[in-house]
Amino acid sequence: MSDLSVAAAAALGVPESIVLRSAAARAAETGMTVDEVLTAWAGGGVVAGAPPAADTPAAEASPAPAESSPEPAIAEDTPAPVETPAAEPAPSAVATPSSEAVPATVSGKPPVLVGKTDNPMAVMVGAVALFAAIFLVGLVGPALPAENPGARSSELGFSEAGERGRHVFQTVGCFACHTQMVRPVVSDVGLGAVTLNDSNQVLGTRRFGPDLSDVGTRLTVSQIEAVITGLGDHPGLSLSQEDLDDLATYLLESQTSVEETKEPVSPSEDAETEGEEG
Amino acid sequence: MAAAHFLVGALFLVLAGALQLLALFSLRFGGLSPVSFGRMESMSNLTVMFGFLVISLTGGIYYVLPRLTGTRLWRKELALTGLLLTSAVVIVDLVVVVFGFGSGRQPLGLPWWLHIPMLAALLIPLAITVMTIKNREEKRNFVTLWIVIGGVTWLPLLYLAYSAGDLPFVSSLGSTFSDLFFSAGFVTLWVFTVGSGLFYYTLVKELDIPLAFRQLAAVGFWSLGFAAAWWGIAQMVFGPGPGWVAGVAASLGLAFPIGALANASNVSVTLQGHWEELGDKPGVVSGVLGLYLGVAVAVLASFASFPSIGSVTALTAYWEAIEYAALFGVGVLLTAGISFEALPRVAGREIRTNDRPRSFNRMTIIGVGGVMISLLAAGLLDGYSWIAGSNSAAFVDAGEGWGAGSEATEVLLLFAFGFGIIAFLGQLAYAATVIGTLINGRPVPQEVLVYGDGGETDE
């Protein structure tokens, strides 16, 4: 540990031990003495052919042998030549591509992987806070149950076989092509009653085949089984008889029109009704 | 450690590409496929998302961390455990799903009992990143560092939110929202953010030029974080959720293209005057292509978030196109951006020829672009034919009119399958580049990092 290494470490802002290793490697590579390298790094000169490595005070080696070597060097077995540590960057260097704003390093080239002395753990706290916000607003909020008049709802349950069939519907992946979700849009007119947010059907998000919210009112159980096993354009599914029966039961019970849609009564209509009754 | 991650990731990419190709095949020729489209898609999603994108980008993180912090990677053996655990969960889940024992939830289909080991596997990169940064010698942080820490923090939280959809008291709607939240969040909070962050390192390192704007990188990072929830929920526009969701999704979904544009423009400005140097740097080209494709994906997703557009595109193949392009296009290209840069430095072997990476770039852009355009067109055609069908009552009565309405899209689905083959060839070229470099790349000086006084080294 010489005064030179202390001065170089102070000038570069990295630990002295790393500066010494880097200087030794650089000296070996350039043919200079270690003291000459350290003098240059401390501000007294230029090291020939020394590219800066401002990303890290740790090293990136360039041991030369490998071009002609039959086998590559193995990291753990390689001696440890190291590269020039980073020069002290100015904060402005990161915000501009202009080399004028970047202080020259010992080789006269601008540092590239420079940053600010901020605390990355603060980013972690911010990331958690942001996630909490989007989780609450983007997932919990929309999924909360709301008071709505029900067409197909969890109050209209499936039979035991229907529940098993619902599981088959999911595990086979039927919902990857069929929705059970009727929306109040022109596209869905005639498909059944509009699905509300307490639906106990498998909603799905893709519709490569027809919507099945109300399929139970349109087909018989034998027709449903025929389609599942490959009638028409529908791919035939290889299911056990039990699974097939359960799935057909679930689809047969998938009806939105078995329960009358209760229209919300406006206060004025309510008053009129009371008046008539009165 | 990074090399092992890139190698395993490349193998999973080939598997994911093959499964996705089969999924596209079963979408068009359902009757000929032995496994249903739904199961095939879950398997493909799981393999590309966790087998490839999580493992490979984690490898990229393990590569840059020591270089940006000036200290050794914390507990390399733990990193290896994470790699093995993630791989094992993916393989077990593939078996579970193909035999019909999965949960059936999109996009992964994992049964509830696999959530715990998967969550444990995702916590490992977080622990390693935090501890490595805690021990850092370098106090000046390059932008990649805080983008990486954001990504590894978000991923386990995101998975936790997804697994919550399996809780018994969660409604069908809650479970569906959870699926969409996870799918969208994975793309924005992991693929776009971490992929872009790692590419910033590649760009600056390969070209030896400073990044143009640190602030713009911050805008990209936080905008993508903010956008995560919204473009997923936009798929349920006019669905059974509360009415305010559609309006909020439309306005806040704009953060997605803002984030993608911020990153792409930052890279473009950085590259000013250096474009001609990209000829022999296929990794940088991959990253640039990934960022530009990301802008297209983000704009299309944001566009469809508006209720007027969403009423046509929701539930159609339009969204299938966006998810495919985000995972198999943007994700794969950004991963190549870091892995092509890192491999020679960690393996001591250079990519033997740039022909394979160039082929990878070319076939990925043509293949993924072709699939995306075909599915987008199929989605729009479907959406408009549903509107026409409902006006003419053609789809009423068990959807008998469905076949006629969707016949026109069958040609487009066939095109998608054809382009899918090209994309798969690109994925094979990526795997061949990674494996070929590790096995018989041209020996070059290897990068060795040295820490402390004990002469200990780290790759």
Side-chain angles (χ1 to χ4, degrees), chain B residues 266-325:
Chain B
N266 203 1
V267 166
S268 301
V269 175
T270 303
L271 277 170
Q272 263 184 352
H274 297 275
W275 287 98
E276 68 282 358
E277 296 172 36
L278 300 191
D280 60 343
K281 299 187 189 309
V284 179
V285 174
S286 301
V288 171
L289 290 174
L291 285 177
Y292 289 170
L293 183 62
V295 173
V297 167
V299 168
L300 287 166
S302 176
F303 183 63
S305 302
F306 288 95
S308 52
I309 314 287
S311 64
V312 178
T313 58
L315 312 183
T316 69
Y318 185 98
W319 287 103
E320 201 72 20
I322 288 171
E323 288 182 1
Y324 177 87

Short mmCIF file of all heavy atoms in Angstrom, two decimals, chain B residues 266-325:
data_model
loop_
_atom_site.label_atom_id
_atom_site.label_comp_id
_atom_site.label_asym_id
_atom_site.label_seq_id
_atom_site.Cartn_x
_atom_site.Cartn_y
_atom_site.Cartn_z
N ASN B 266 -35.43 5.91 -25.91
CA ASN B 266 -34.16 6.05 -25.18
C ASN B 266 -33.05 5.29 -25.91
O ASN B 266 -31.94 5.81 -26.11
CB ASN B 266 -34.33 5.49 -23.77
CG ASN B 266 -33.32 6.06 -22.79
OD1 ASN B 266 -32.50 6.89 -23.15
ND2 ASN B 266 -33.37 5.61 -21.56
N VAL B 267 -33.37 4.09 -26.33
CA VAL B 267 -32.38 3.28 -27.05
C VAL B 267 -32.07 3.91 -28.41
O VAL B 267 -30.92 3.95 -28.84
CB VAL B 267 -32.91 1.83 -27.21
CG1 VAL B 267 -32.10 1.06 -28.24
CG2 VAL B 267 -32.87 1.12 -25.87
N SER B 268 -33.10 4.43 -29.09
CA SER B 268 -32.89 5.03 -30.40
C SER B 268 -31.96 6.24 -30.31
O SER B 268 -31.06 6.41 -31.13
CB SER B 268 -34.22 5.45 -31.02
OG SER B 268 -35.06 4.33 -31.14
N VAL B 269 -32.21 7.09 -29.30
CA VAL B 269 -31.36 8.27 -29.14
C VAL B 269 -29.93 7.84 -28.79
O VAL B 269 -28.96 8.41 -29.29
CB VAL B 269 -31.94 9.20 -28.05
CG1 VAL B 269 -30.99 10.37 -27.79
CG2 VAL B 269 -33.30 9.73 -28.47
N THR B 270 -29.83 6.84 -27.94
CA THR B 270 -28.49 6.34 -27.57
C THR B 270 -27.74 5.85 -28.80
O THR B 270 -26.53 6.03 -28.93
CB THR B 270 -28.62 5.20 -26.55
OG1 THR B 270 -29.34 5.68 -25.41
CG2 THR B 270 -27.25 4.70 -26.10
N LEU B 271 -28.47 5.25 -29.73
CA LEU B 271 -27.84 4.65 -30.91
C LEU B 271 -27.52 5.66 -32.01
O LEU B 271 -26.93 5.29 -33.03
CB LEU B 271 -28.74 3.56 -31.48
CG LEU B 271 -28.63 2.18 -30.80
CD1 LEU B 271 -29.72 1.26 -31.29
CD2 LEU B 271 -27.26 1.57 -31.05
N GLN B 272 -27.94 6.90 -31.81
CA GLN B 272 -27.68 7.90 -32.85
C GLN B 272 -26.20 7.95 -33.20
O GLN B 272 -25.35 8.10 -32.31
CB GLN B 272 -28.13 9.28 -32.36
CG GLN B 272 -29.51 9.64 -32.86
CD GLN B 272 -29.90 11.05 -32.45
OE1 GLN B 272 -29.20 11.69 -31.68
NE2 GLN B 272 -31.01 11.51 -32.97
N GLY B 273 -25.91 7.80 -34.47
CA GLY B 273 -24.52 7.82 -34.90
C GLY B 273 -23.81 6.49 -34.76
O GLY B 273 -22.63 6.37 -35.08
N HIS B 274 -24.51 5.50 -34.25
CA HIS B 274 -23.87 4.18 -34.04
C HIS B 274 -24.60 3.06 -34.75
O HIS B 274 -24.30 1.90 -34.52
CB HIS B 274 -23.79 3.87 -32.54
CG HIS B 274 -22.94 4.83 -31.77
ND1 HIS B 274 -21.58 4.71 -31.64
CD2 HIS B 274 -23.27 5.97 -31.11
CE1 HIS B 274 -21.10 5.70 -30.92
NE2 HIS B 274 -22.11 6.50 -30.59
N TRP B 275 -25.61 3.38 -35.54
CA TRP B 275 -26.42 2.33 -36.16
C TRP B 275 -25.57 1.40 -37.03
O TRP B 275 -25.82 0.20 -37.09
CB TRP B 275 -27.54 2.94 -37.01
CG TRP B 275 -28.64 3.54 -36.18
CD1 TRP B 275 -28.78 4.87 -35.87
CD2 TRP B 275 -29.72 2.86 -35.53
NE1 TRP B 275 -29.89 5.06 -35.07
CE2 TRP B 275 -30.49 3.84 -34.85
CE3 TRP B 275 -30.12 1.53 -35.46
CZ2 TRP B 275 -31.62 3.52 -34.11
CZ3 TRP B 275 -31.26 1.21 -34.71
CH2 TRP B 275 -31.99 2.20 -34.05
N GLU B 276 -24.57 1.98 -37.70
CA GLU B 276 -23.78 1.15 -38.62
C GLU B 276 -22.95 0.11 -37.87
O GLU B 276 -22.48 -0.86 -38.46
CB GLU B 276 -22.89 2.03 -39.51
CG GLU B 276 -21.76 2.75 -38.81
CD GLU B 276 -22.23 3.99 -38.04
OE1 GLU B 276 -23.44 4.34 -38.07
OE2 GLU B 276 -21.38 4.61 -37.39
N GLU B 277 -22.79 0.30 -36.57
CA GLU B 277 -21.99 -0.66 -35.79
C GLU B 277 -22.77 -1.92 -35.44
O GLU B 277 -22.22 -2.87 -34.87
CB GLU B 277 -21.50 0.00 -34.49
CG GLU B 277 -20.55 1.16 -34.71
CD GLU B 277 -20.25 1.90 -33.41
OE1 GLU B 277 -20.17 1.24 -32.36
OE2 GLU B 277 -20.12 3.14 -33.46
N LEU B 278 -24.07 -1.92 -35.73
CA LEU B 278 -24.90 -3.05 -35.30
C LEU B 278 -24.73 -4.28 -36.18
O LEU B 278 -25.20 -5.36 -35.83
CB LEU B 278 -26.39 -2.65 -35.28
CG LEU B 278 -26.78 -1.49 -34.36
CD1 LEU B 278 -28.29 -1.40 -34.25
CD2 LEU B 278 -26.18 -1.68 -32.98
N GLY B 279 -24.06 -4.11 -37.33
CA GLY B 279 -23.93 -5.21 -38.27
C GLY B 279 -23.34 -6.46 -37.67
O GLY B 279 -23.78 -7.57 -37.95
N ASP B 280 -22.35 -6.31 -36.80
CA ASP B 280 -21.72 -7.49 -36.21
C ASP B 280 -22.11 -7.66 -34.75
O ASP B 280 -21.41 -8.28 -33.97
CB ASP B 280 -20.20 -7.40 -36.35
CG ASP B 280 -19.64 -6.17 -35.64
OD1 ASP B 280 -20.44 -5.26 -35.35
OD2 ASP B 280 -18.42 -6.13 -35.39
N LYS B 281 -23.23 -7.06 -34.37
CA LYS B 281 -23.71 -7.21 -32.98
C LYS B 281 -25.16 -7.69 -32.98
O LYS B 281 -26.08 -6.94 -32.70
CB LYS B 281 -23.60 -5.88 -32.24
CG LYS B 281 -22.16 -5.37 -32.15
CD LYS B 281 -22.07 -4.16 -31.28
CE LYS B 281 -20.68 -3.52 -31.36
NZ LYS B 281 -19.57 -4.44 -31.14
N PRO B 282 -25.37 -8.98 -33.29
CA PRO B 282 -26.75 -9.48 -33.41
C PRO B 282 -27.54 -9.40 -32.11
O PRO B 282 -28.76 -9.28 -32.13
CB PRO B 282 -26.56 -10.93 -33.86
CG PRO B 282 -25.17 -11.29 -33.50
CD PRO B 282 -24.38 -10.02 -33.55
N GLY B 283 -26.84 -9.45 -30.96
CA GLY B 283 -27.55 -9.34 -29.68
C GLY B 283 -28.20 -7.98 -29.54
O GLY B 283 -29.34 -7.85 -29.08
N VAL B 284 -27.48 -6.94 -29.94
CA VAL B 284 -28.03 -5.59 -29.86
C VAL B 284 -29.21 -5.45 -30.83
O VAL B 284 -30.24 -4.86 -30.50
CB VAL B 284 -26.95 -4.53 -30.17
CG1 VAL B 284 -27.53 -3.13 -30.10
CG2 VAL B 284 -25.79 -4.67 -29.19
N VAL B 285 -29.04 -6.04 -32.02
CA VAL B 285 -30.14 -6.00 -32.99
C VAL B 285 -31.38 -6.69 -32.41
O VAL B 285 -32.50 -6.19 -32.53
CB VAL B 285 -29.71 -6.67 -34.32
CG1 VAL B 285 -30.89 -6.75 -35.29
CG2 VAL B 285 -28.56 -5.90 -34.96
N SER B 286 -31.17 -7.84 -31.75
CA SER B 286 -32.31 -8.55 -31.15
C SER B 286 -33.04 -7.65 -30.16
O SER B 286 -34.27 -7.56 -30.17
CB SER B 286 -31.82 -9.80 -30.39
OG SER B 286 -31.15 -10.66 -31.22
N GLY B 287 -32.26 -7.00 -29.29
CA GLY B 287 -32.88 -6.14 -28.29
C GLY B 287 -33.64 -4.98 -28.91
O GLY B 287 -34.75 -4.64 -28.48
N VAL B 288 -33.04 -4.36 -29.92
CA VAL B 288 -33.70 -3.22 -30.58
C VAL B 288 -35.01 -3.69 -31.23
O VAL B 288 -36.07 -3.05 -31.08
CB VAL B 288 -32.77 -2.58 -31.63
CG1 VAL B 288 -33.51 -1.55 -32.46
CG2 VAL B 288 -31.58 -1.93 -30.95
N LEU B 289 -34.95 -4.83 -31.92
CA LEU B 289 -36.17 -5.36 -32.55
C LEU B 289 -37.22 -5.68 -31.49
O LEU B 289 -38.42 -5.41 -31.67
CB LEU B 289 -35.84 -6.62 -33.35
CG LEU B 289 -35.02 -6.44 -34.63
CD1 LEU B 289 -34.65 -7.79 -35.22
CD2 LEU B 289 -35.79 -5.62 -35.64
N GLY B 290 -36.77 -6.24 -30.37
CA GLY B 290 -37.70 -6.55 -29.28
C GLY B 290 -38.40 -5.31 -28.75
O GLY B 290 -39.61 -5.32 -28.51
N LEU B 291 -37.63 -4.23 -28.59
CA LEU B 291 -38.23 -3.00 -28.06
C LEU B 291 -39.22 -2.40 -29.05
O LEU B 291 -40.29 -1.93 -28.67
CB LEU B 291 -37.13 -1.98 -27.75
CG LEU B 291 -36.30 -2.25 -26.49
CD1 LEU B 291 -35.21 -1.21 -26.34
CD2 LEU B 291 -37.18 -2.24 -25.25
N TYR B 292 -38.88 -2.42 -30.34
CA TYR B 292 -39.79 -1.86 -31.34
C TYR B 292 -41.06 -2.71 -31.47
O TYR B 292 -42.17 -2.18 -31.59
CB TYR B 292 -39.09 -1.72 -32.69
CG TYR B 292 -38.04 -0.63 -32.73
CD1 TYR B 292 -37.17 -0.49 -33.79
CD2 TYR B 292 -37.94 0.28 -31.69
CE1 TYR B 292 -36.20 0.51 -33.81
CE2 TYR B 292 -36.98 1.28 -31.70
CZ TYR B 292 -36.12 1.39 -32.75
OH TYR B 292 -35.18 2.39 -32.76
N LEU B 293 -40.88 -4.02 -31.44
CA LEU B 293 -42.07 -4.88 -31.48
C LEU B 293 -42.92 -4.64 -30.23
O LEU B 293 -44.15 -4.66 -30.28
CB LEU B 293 -41.65 -6.36 -31.56
CG LEU B 293 -42.77 -7.39 -31.68
CD1 LEU B 293 -43.57 -7.18 -32.96
CD2 LEU B 293 -42.22 -8.82 -31.64
N GLY B 294 -42.23 -4.38 -29.13
CA GLY B 294 -42.94 -4.08 -27.88
C GLY B 294 -43.81 -2.84 -28.00
O GLY B 294 -44.92 -2.80 -27.46
N VAL B 295 -43.32 -1.85 -28.71
CA VAL B 295 -44.13 -0.64 -28.92
C VAL B 295 -45.40 -0.99 -29.70
O VAL B 295 -46.51 -0.57 -29.35
CB VAL B 295 -43.32 0.44 -29.67
CG1 VAL B 295 -44.21 1.62 -30.04
CG2 VAL B 295 -42.15 0.92 -28.82
N ALA B 296 -45.23 -1.81 -30.74
CA ALA B 296 -46.41 -2.20 -31.55
C ALA B 296 -47.41 -2.96 -30.69
O ALA B 296 -48.62 -2.70 -30.75
CB ALA B 296 -45.95 -3.06 -32.73
N VAL B 297 -46.92 -3.89 -29.89
CA VAL B 297 -47.80 -4.68 -29.03
C VAL B 297 -48.53 -3.77 -28.03
O VAL B 297 -49.75 -3.89 -27.83
CB VAL B 297 -46.97 -5.76 -28.27
CG1 VAL B 297 -47.77 -6.37 -27.15
CG2 VAL B 297 -46.51 -6.84 -29.24
N ALA B 298 -47.78 -2.86 -27.43
CA ALA B 298 -48.38 -1.97 -26.42
C ALA B 298 -49.44 -1.06 -27.04
O ALA B 298 -50.50 -0.83 -26.46
CB ALA B 298 -47.29 -1.14 -25.76
N VAL B 299 -49.15 -0.55 -28.23
CA VAL B 299 -50.12 0.34 -28.90
C VAL B 299 -51.40 -0.44 -29.23
O VAL B 299 -52.51 0.04 -29.00
CB VAL B 299 -49.50 0.96 -30.17
CG1 VAL B 299 -50.56 1.63 -31.02
CG2 VAL B 299 -48.42 1.97 -29.80
N LEU B 300 -51.23 -1.66 -29.74
CA LEU B 300 -52.41 -2.47 -30.09
C LEU B 300 -53.23 -2.81 -28.84
O LEU B 300 -54.46 -2.78 -28.87
CB LEU B 300 -51.96 -3.75 -30.79
CG LEU B 300 -51.46 -3.56 -32.22
CD1 LEU B 300 -50.73 -4.82 -32.70
CD2 LEU B 300 -52.61 -3.24 -33.16
N ALA B 301 -52.54 -3.12 -27.74
CA ALA B 301 -53.26 -3.45 -26.51
C ALA B 301 -54.00 -2.23 -25.97
O ALA B 301 -55.16 -2.31 -25.56
CB ALA B 301 -52.28 -3.97 -25.47
N SER B 302 -53.31 -1.10 -26.02
CA SER B 302 -53.92 0.13 -25.52
C SER B 302 -55.11 0.54 -26.39
O SER B 302 -56.16 0.97 -25.90
CB SER B 302 -52.87 1.23 -25.50
OG SER B 302 -53.43 2.43 -25.12
N PHE B 303 -54.93 0.37 -27.69
CA PHE B 303 -55.98 0.71 -28.66
C PHE B 303 -57.27 -0.08 -28.35
O PHE B 303 -58.37 0.47 -28.33
CB PHE B 303 -55.44 0.33 -30.04
CG PHE B 303 -56.33 0.66 -31.19
CD1 PHE B 303 -56.67 1.96 -31.49
CD2 PHE B 303 -56.83 -0.35 -32.02
CE1 PHE B 303 -57.49 2.26 -32.57
CE2 PHE B 303 -57.64 -0.07 -33.08
CZ PHE B 303 -57.98 1.25 -33.36
N ALA B 304 -57.09 -1.36 -28.06
CA ALA B 304 -58.27 -2.22 -27.81
C ALA B 304 -58.85 -2.02 -26.43
O ALA B 304 -59.86 -2.62 -26.09
CB ALA B 304 -57.88 -3.68 -28.01
N SER B 305 -58.18 -1.21 -25.60
CA SER B 305 -58.70 -0.96 -24.26
C SER B 305 -59.85 0.03 -24.26
O SER B 305 -60.58 0.14 -23.28
CB SER B 305 -57.58 -0.43 -23.35
OG SER B 305 -56.53 -1.34 -23.30
N PHE B 306 -59.99 0.78 -25.35
CA PHE B 306 -61.10 1.73 -25.42
C PHE B 306 -62.41 0.96 -25.64
O PHE B 306 -62.46 0.06 -26.50
CB PHE B 306 -60.88 2.74 -26.54
CG PHE B 306 -59.80 3.73 -26.21
CD1 PHE B 306 -58.50 3.52 -26.64
CD2 PHE B 306 -60.08 4.85 -25.43
CE1 PHE B 306 -57.49 4.41 -26.31
CE2 PHE B 306 -59.07 5.75 -25.11
CZ PHE B 306 -57.78 5.53 -25.54
N PRO B 307 -63.44 1.29 -24.90
CA PRO B 307 -64.68 0.51 -24.97
C PRO B 307 -65.22 0.35 -26.39
O PRO B 307 -65.71 -0.72 -26.75
CB PRO B 307 -65.64 1.30 -24.09
CG PRO B 307 -64.76 2.00 -23.12
CD PRO B 307 -63.50 2.31 -23.86
N SER B 308 -65.13 1.42 -27.21
CA SER B 308 -65.70 1.32 -28.55
C SER B 308 -64.97 0.26 -29.38
O SER B 308 -65.58 -0.49 -30.14
CB SER B 308 -65.61 2.68 -29.25
OG SER B 308 -64.29 3.16 -29.17
N ILE B 309 -63.65 0.18 -29.23
CA ILE B 309 -62.88 -0.83 -29.95
C ILE B 309 -63.04 -2.18 -29.26
O ILE B 309 -63.18 -3.22 -29.90
CB ILE B 309 -61.37 -0.48 -29.99
CG1 ILE B 309 -61.15 0.98 -30.35
CG2 ILE B 309 -60.62 -1.42 -30.93
CD1 ILE B 309 -61.38 1.34 -31.76
N GLY B 310 -63.04 -2.11 -27.92
CA GLY B 310 -63.12 -3.35 -27.14
C GLY B 310 -64.40 -4.12 -27.40
O GLY B 310 -64.42 -5.35 -27.30
N SER B 311 -65.48 -3.42 -27.73
CA SER B 311 -66.74 -4.14 -27.99
C SER B 311 -66.61 -5.02 -29.21
O SER B 311 -67.38 -5.96 -29.39
CB SER B 311 -67.88 -3.14 -28.16
OG SER B 311 -67.66 -2.34 -29.30
N VAL B 312 -65.65 -4.73 -30.08
CA VAL B 312 -65.42 -5.58 -31.26
C VAL B 312 -64.33 -6.62 -30.98
O VAL B 312 -64.46 -7.78 -31.33
CB VAL B 312 -64.99 -4.71 -32.48
CG1 VAL B 312 -64.71 -5.58 -33.69
CG2 VAL B 312 -66.05 -3.68 -32.80
N THR B 313 -63.29 -6.19 -30.30
CA THR B 313 -62.11 -7.08 -30.19
C THR B 313 -62.13 -7.98 -28.96
O THR B 313 -61.45 -9.01 -28.96
CB THR B 313 -60.82 -6.24 -30.12
OG1 THR B 313 -60.92 -5.35 -29.01
CG2 THR B 313 -60.61 -5.44 -31.39
N ALA B 314 -62.89 -7.63 -27.92
CA ALA B 314 -62.86 -8.42 -26.70
C ALA B 314 -63.30 -9.85 -26.99
O ALA B 314 -64.18 -10.09 -27.82
CB ALA B 314 -63.77 -7.80 -25.66
N LEU B 315 -62.65 -10.78 -26.34
CA LEU B 315 -62.93 -12.23 -26.44
C LEU B 315 -62.47 -12.85 -27.76
O LEU B 315 -62.65 -14.04 -27.98
CB LEU B 315 -64.42 -12.56 -26.24
CG LEU B 315 -65.13 -11.93 -25.05
CD1 LEU B 315 -66.59 -12.42 -24.98
CD2 LEU B 315 -64.43 -12.24 -23.75
N THR B 316 -61.90 -12.06 -28.63
CA THR B 316 -61.51 -12.61 -29.95
C THR B 316 -60.01 -12.95 -29.98
O THR B 316 -59.28 -12.73 -29.01
CB THR B 316 -61.76 -11.59 -31.08
OG1 THR B 316 -60.83 -10.51 -30.93
CG2 THR B 316 -63.17 -11.03 -31.04
N ALA B 317 -59.59 -13.46 -31.15
CA ALA B 317 -58.18 -13.81 -31.34
C ALA B 317 -57.27 -12.58 -31.33
O ALA B 317 -56.05 -12.72 -31.32
CB ALA B 317 -58.03 -14.55 -32.67
N TYR B 318 -57.86 -11.39 -31.34
CA TYR B 318 -57.07 -10.16 -31.27
C TYR B 318 -56.14 -10.19 -30.06
O TYR B 318 -54.96 -9.89 -30.14
CB TYR B 318 -58.04 -8.97 -31.18
CG TYR B 318 -57.40 -7.61 -31.23
CD1 TYR B 318 -57.35 -6.89 -32.41
CD2 TYR B 318 -56.87 -7.02 -30.08
CE1 TYR B 318 -56.79 -5.62 -32.46
CE2 TYR B 318 -56.30 -5.76 -30.12
CZ TYR B 318 -56.26 -5.06 -31.30
OH TYR B 318 -55.70 -3.81 -31.34
N TRP B 319 -56.71 -10.59 -28.91
CA TRP B 319 -55.92 -10.61 -27.68
C TRP B 319 -54.94 -11.79 -27.67
O TRP B 319 -53.89 -11.73 -27.04
CB TRP B 319 -56.83 -10.66 -26.46
CG TRP B 319 -57.50 -9.35 -26.24
CD1 TRP B 319 -58.79 -9.03 -26.53
CD2 TRP B 319 -56.90 -8.16 -25.71
NE1 TRP B 319 -59.04 -7.71 -26.20
CE2 TRP B 319 -57.89 -7.16 -25.70
CE3 TRP B 319 -55.64 -7.84 -25.24
CZ2 TRP B 319 -57.65 -5.87 -25.24
CZ3 TRP B 319 -55.39 -6.56 -24.78
CH2 TRP B 319 -56.39 -5.58 -24.79
N GLU B 320 -55.32 -12.86 -28.38
CA GLU B 320 -54.40 -13.99 -28.52
C GLU B 320 -53.14 -13.51 -29.25
O GLU B 320 -52.02 -13.91 -28.92
CB GLU B 320 -55.10 -15.09 -29.34
CG GLU B 320 -54.54 -16.47 -29.17
CD GLU B 320 -54.86 -17.07 -27.83
OE1 GLU B 320 -55.81 -16.61 -27.17
OE2 GLU B 320 -54.13 -17.98 -27.42
N ALA B 321 -53.35 -12.65 -30.25
CA ALA B 321 -52.23 -12.11 -31.03
C ALA B 321 -51.30 -11.29 -30.14
O ALA B 321 -50.07 -11.41 -30.22
CB ALA B 321 -52.77 -11.23 -32.16
N ILE B 322 -51.89 -10.47 -29.28
CA ILE B 322 -51.08 -9.60 -28.41
C ILE B 322 -50.26 -10.44 -27.43
O ILE B 322 -49.07 -10.22 -27.23
CB ILE B 322 -51.99 -8.59 -27.69
CG1 ILE B 322 -52.48 -7.56 -28.71
CG2 ILE B 322 -51.27 -7.93 -26.53
CD1 ILE B 322 -53.53 -6.64 -28.21
N GLU B 323 -50.90 -11.43 -26.84
CA GLU B 323 -50.18 -12.27 -25.87
C GLU B 323 -49.07 -13.06 -26.55
O GLU B 323 -47.97 -13.21 -26.02
CB GLU B 323 -51.17 -13.19 -25.16
CG GLU B 323 -52.04 -12.42 -24.17
CD GLU B 323 -53.01 -13.29 -23.41
OE1 GLU B 323 -53.01 -14.52 -23.61
OE2 GLU B 323 -53.78 -12.73 -22.62
N TYR B 324 -49.38 -13.59 -27.74
CA TYR B 324 -48.37 -14.37 -28.47
C TYR B 324 -47.16 -13.48 -28.80
O TYR B 324 -46.00 -13.86 -28.57
CB TYR B 324 -48.98 -14.93 -29.75
CG TYR B 324 -47.98 -15.70 -30.60
CD1 TYR B 324 -47.76 -17.06 -30.38
CD2 TYR B 324 -47.25 -15.07 -31.60
CE1 TYR B 324 -46.83 -17.76 -31.13
CE2 TYR B 324 -46.33 -15.76 -32.36
CZ TYR B 324 -46.12 -17.10 -32.13
OH TYR B 324 -45.18 -17.79 -32.88
N ALA B 325 -47.44 -12.30 -29.34
CA ALA B 325 -46.33 -11.41 -29.74
C ALA B 325 -45.54 -10.94 -28.53
O ALA B 325 -44.31 -10.79 -28.61
CB ALA B 325 -46.89 -10.22 -30.51
#
